[in-house]
Amino acid sequence: VNACFLPLMETKENGSVDTKSSVENGQLSDPAHWAVADVVNYFKATGFEEQANAFQDQEIDGKSLLLMTRNDVLTGLSIKLGPALKIYEYHVKPLQTQHLKTNVS
């Protein structure tokens, strides 16, 4: 593990390591830095508990999430169409838009 990343990680009692949470000071951190677990936790927290597992199964981290197209969400995750549409329209697309706005110089 690179030493510069150590402050961002916390070792749990069971020996697993958690990366920095996707929420910082009540605001979402940049999704580009999210681990797969952060993506899964984000979707669980937004009410898509069952569908969140699809992001885990497909190993979607923050960078992958920001690259996902509508078609990726609708067909690539093997989740029902209704939740997939909501996930893309109300979560993936806004996260991508916000990321672009905050990272344009």
Side-chain angles (χ1 to χ4, degrees), residues 3-55:
C4 69
F5 290 105
L6 290 177
L8 301 179
M9 298 196 295
E10 177 184 281
T11 304
K12 296 281 189 185
E13 288 178 20
N14 64 7
S16 69
V17 175
D18 268 1
T19 56
K20 192 163 66 169
S21 170
S22 57
V23 177
E24 296 173 356
N25 302 325
Q27 293 191 345
L28 291 172
S29 65
D30 185 349
H33 301 121
W34 293 1
V36 174
D38 293 321
V39 173
V40 171
N41 290 334
Y42 171 81
F43 284 107
K44 284 182 177 180
T46 57
F48 294 99
E49 182 105 13
E50 185 180 325
Q51 293 78 17
N53 294 327
F55 290 88

Side-chain angles (χ1 to χ4, degrees), residues 66-90:
L66 292 173
L67 293 171
M68 291 184 84
T69 64
R70 183 177 185 268
N71 195 51
D72 291 332
V73 177
L74 298 186
T75 62
L77 296 174
S78 300
I79 57 179
K80 291 182 181 176
L81 183 58
L85 287 165
K86 291 174 190 167
I87 285 170
Y88 180 74
E89 206 57 39
Y90 300 125

